[in-house]
Amino acid sequence: MFIRRCAGNRFVIIQRIRTRISARSGPLFFFILAGATVLTLSAAAPSSAGEIVSSPPLAPSTPSPTNKTTLPAEYSRETTQIVVSLSLNGESKGDFFVELDAAGELYVRREELSGLKLNFAEDQAVLIRNEPYVPLSAVREVKYFFDEKSLTVSLMGKTTEAQQTSIDLYPLRFRPQNVYYPRETSAFLNYGVTYAYADPLGFQAFTMSNKLGARTGDLFFVSDSLYTSTRSDDNFVRLQTSATYEQRNNLQWFVLGDQFANSGDLGSTVNMGGVGISKVYRIDPYFITQPVFNIKGVTAFPSQADIYMDGVLVSKQALAPGSFDLKNIYSYGGAHTIDVVLKDPFGREQRISYPTYFSTLLLREGLHEYSYNAGFIREQYGVRSSEYGASAFSAFHRYGVTNNLNVGARAEGSGGVTNAGLFTSLSIPRAGAFTVSLAASSEHGTIGSAASFQHTYQLLSFNTNLLVREFSRDYATVGAPPSPDSTKYELGLSAGFLLLPFGSASLGYSESGTHGGTTTRVSTISGSRGLSKSTSLFVTASATRIVDTTYSLFLGINVNFEKDVHGAAQYTRTGETNTETLQVQKDAPVGEGLGYRASLARTDTSAAYSSSFNPFVQYNARYGIYSFDSSFQNAKVSTNGQDYTTSTSKTYTLSASGSLVNAGGFYGLSRPVSDSFGVVTVDNVSDATVLNNGQEIGKTNASGMMVVPSLTSYSQNQITLDVKNIPMDYSISGVNAVLSPSLWSGSCIAFEAAKVQAVTGSLVTRQNEKKISLEYVDITMKVDEKEVTFPTGKDGEFYAENALPEDGKTGVKDKQSCRAIVQRKASGGNAIKPGTYEASVNREGKRCTFTITFPKTEDPITELGEVMCVAVETVHGSARPLPPYSSPRNITN
């Protein structure tokens, strides 16, 4: 063991050493000590590496041998043995006996320097007290500092032992703290009705729609349907019905029933009924799927690494000598430059730059994304409920080979059509992201092919996109069999950029051709600029050529009058048609409130003129959404260029929608459920305002309950209770709850609110025919299984509120589950119910009992007056009252 720890009283040794040093050298000694630090710099500079740059490994130095046949020479100067605390590269190595000479040089035993993996000049070793010592100035490539006041020695530099430093700069899967993940049994039924009327035609249509959803644990079920009644027909149709088993930790869905399956680029989307398994990364929004950048390298000295992205410092890390791996650097998409600045103990810096390209369309290394589906084609969807045709399959799989390379395969087939393909995606620094797809098809033996190439590039506010596709005449997918009008090729090119202070602009060109010989070319230029903080200008011009060229121009000005009130003025010219539009709109709130929109439009050509007015109103009520939409149109059509025929039309549409929900036994009515929902309870407090992520959702009803129909699945939803409208005589256990529900699930959110009521009085007892006040004692009152303790004051006065203490054994999950809320409500919550409760006082080994009554009243404080405490004794394990004059002493203080 090369570290020898001090024995005995170190404090006494240190004080003696300081006395000897001060007496021997005085001020001159400290000057010599400060100037005696010798640095031996390494001839090789430290190095670093990224994924595409690698430094040679650090060659370890040969440690000095500890056994020598020839002993070093005896040191001629007088030295003093002291005890120091030694640290190497920031790591404490313990206490050492070292020698200090008059010149301030420190000598450490040769064996201990070898044990510390330090490389030193062997020929500078000397013999002190018959043991070989080496001066610290002879240690190679090390800087040291000796603090004589605290007797500490700090060494920084190169050792013969290389270490490996691996640091995750950013987490790849972050799990937020203090978030509740509900798993309730829940259900909801959305409903909507719409009535349409036209003047002068009369009744047009009546529709009823619904969506039924239910969930228990990891399994959820959804089904929706539509009933339509017109002047000529009635029809009821089931739309989508499916059951899904979710593995939230594995980010997987297993689906049984109706589903839309997409096989990827050059494939199609198939509506089928069957089974499917897919990787769904949106289940965890904090899971990083995009590629990351890693920096690898080797440093010979302990160093500090400063990591910059586009000139902005993003991290500081301490590196031990040896290899290092700085992992998981990522940013938004586009080209970036990562700089790493290495600083060693000798003040030297080395900067290495790495161009990178991040693309959110690629997967990072080692990740899979897939969807496998099989079943039967859904036919006449939206017309018939259960028409299934030929069997079908659809498959898609992508894998991140590296952070810069993805590969994948896809396939689909049904009714004699088979289609399969391969694709790869690649990102290159300074060049952008590339995707190449190849596919082949067979329709009853007829072979077709297709190819696709896409390139995207983004640098700060500049971006480009190129897409080229080509399809053979016989290329077929399940959703699109070959036809004379099928696409032969597609070409798209666009570029966008920001020109401050002028605004943003974009250019675009697209061209497509069919196998029937039709070619369409579209050129577009657009721009936008903010005219003020509340006003923006938009301009778009385009030219479309099929046979002739049609020119279009769009001018628009948007104005934000208030936070949720907007206005717009637009002018559009397409060929010979001119359209002017004025619109004002108030956004419908997320919670309760009114939204509206009104637009006035005029359209004219050389042969026709029309004007229209479209008012729309929507009111979000506590239990539903109600809207009124209408259109008033006046049209004039010329038959000969001079005479006009005038016609008018009016249409009206009334709509109402809502939802009936159930979560863990709590029922409620609300606006339609759009994702997930939560039932909020505030213990019989009405008109309490509830917010979700800072946006007001609504107020509680007379029973203190309301439904939040717009929780966002898998994300954090912060439900907050606004206490401004809650009476002052209520106590609230908390006003915030954060939960992350699953899709189509219901949750319970409870805020414990209790009306504060108290009793007060004075506690007395009798002694020797005297009434004695029990001052400054603790009263213990038994309420069911809980004990409530409160003190008395001067003259035995006491004050007790009806609040029960929190049960510390109940975890957060139990307190928030619907079952726990039901149980708490059944037991009366954390408030003491009206009634009479036994209480007692222990004083100087004696115990007396009494009762306290909490009356059923609306008064905040009830005066009980004097409460008599009767002394008791225990006889054969049971308590009985003592005679009122049996106690020979005063119970008071």
Side-chain angles (χ1 to χ4, degrees), residues 780-789 804-805:
T780 301
M781 182 175 65
K782 189 69 177 293
V783 181
D784 296 330
E785 300 300 323
K786 293 185 178 181
E787 289 186 348
V788 180
T789 302
L804 287 171

Side-chain angles (χ1 to χ4, degrees), residues 503-835:
S504 62
S506 63
L507 302 171
Y509 175 78
S510 64
E511 182 177 329
S512 63
T514 67
H515 287 285
T518 302
T519 302
T520 303
R521 300 180 179 89
V522 180
S523 301
T524 305
I525 180 172
S526 62
S528 64
R529 181 182 181 183
L531 303 179
S532 66
K533 291 183 178 180
S534 60
T535 307
S536 301
L537 172 66
F538 300 88
V539 180
T540 300
S542 65
T544 303
R545 180 177 180 82
I546 302 178
V547 177
D548 298 323
T549 302
T550 301
Y551 297 96
S552 298
L553 175 66
F554 169 82
L555 295 174
I557 295 180
N558 291 351
V559 181
N560 295 325
F561 299 109
E562 296 179 6
K563 180 181 179 181
D564 55 354
V565 179
H566 320 284
Q570 301 174 354
Y571 169 77
T572 303
R573 181 179 179 86
T574 302
E576 299 298 324
T577 303
N578 298 302
T579 302
E580 298 94 18
T581 304
L582 291 175
Q583 179 174 291
V584 61
Q585 174 177 326
K586 181 182 184 297
D587 298 332
V590 177
E592 298 178 23
L594 182 70
Y596 57 81
R597 181 186 68 248
S599 62
L600 183 64
R602 186 182 71 87
T603 301
D604 67 88
T605 64
S606 58
Y609 165 87
S610 67
S611 62
S612 63
F613 175 60
N614 300 95
F616 169 81
V617 178
Q618 175 178 314
Y619 179 67
N620 293 353
R622 176 179 292 176
Y623 302 125
I625 297 177
Y626 312 100
S627 64
F628 171 74
D629 193 4
S630 59
S631 175
F632 305 90
Q633 187 168 6
N634 182 31
K636 294 182 179 181
V637 179
S638 174
T639 56
N640 54 15
Q642 295 180 352
D643 298 327
Y644 288 88
T645 301
T646 303
S647 64
T648 60
S649 63
K650 302 175 183 178
T651 61
Y652 309 92
T653 303
L654 291 172
S655 299
S657 60
S659 183
L660 172 65
V661 304
N662 173 17
F666 288 91
Y667 290 88
L669 296 172
S670 79
R671 298 180 295 278
V673 173
S674 57
D675 187 337
S676 296
F677 68 93
V679 178
V680 179
T681 58
V682 197
D683 290 344
N684 299 320
V685 178
S686 61
D687 293 326
T689 303
V690 177
L691 300 91
N692 182 16
N693 294 329
Q695 294 183 308
E696 183 175 327
I697 302 300
K699 299 181 184 295
T700 57
N701 58 19
S703 61
M705 188 177 75
M706 73 157 292
V707 178
V708 181
S710 54
L711 295 181
T712 304
S713 59
Y714 310 115
S715 297
Q716 293 187 53
N717 297 264
Q718 181 171 341
I719 306 300
T720 306
L721 184 65
D722 191 344
V723 299
K724 291 195 295 289
N725 296 333
I726 297 178
M728 294 293 293
D729 57 348
Y730 275 81
S731 72
I732 309 295
S733 62
V735 296
N736 286 291
V738 181
L739 66 158
S740 176
S742 296
L743 180 65
W744 304 127
S745 67
S747 313
C748 291
I749 306 106
F751 297 105
E752 300 176 20
K755 187 173 183 179
V756 178
Q757 292 179 310
V759 294
T760 184
S762 57
L763 186 63
V764 298
T765 190
R766 289 188 180 276
Q767 176 184 341
N768 300 329
E769 298 184 356
K770 283 187 175 183
K771 188 162 54 177
I772 305 298
S773 298
L774 295 179
E775 299 179 330
Y776 310 112
V777 295
D778 288 332
I779 298 174
T780 301
M781 182 175 65
K782 189 69 177 293
V783 181
D784 296 330
E785 300 300 323
K786 293 185 178 181
E787 289 186 348
V788 180
T789 302
F790 50 94
T792 65
K794 184 175 177 57
D795 298 327
E797 293 182 350
F798 64 85
Y799 173 86
E801 292 184 349
N802 62 338
L804 287 171
E806 289 282 347
D807 187 358
K809 296 181 181 180
T810 302
V812 174
K813 180 178 180 179
D814 293 334
K815 293 173 67 175
Q816 292 189 4
S817 68
C818 296
R819 177 179 297 181
I821 296 171
V822 171
Q823 293 174 349
R824 182 178 62 80
K825 286 181 174 292
S827 64
N830 285 331
I832 300 174
K833 297 178 181 179

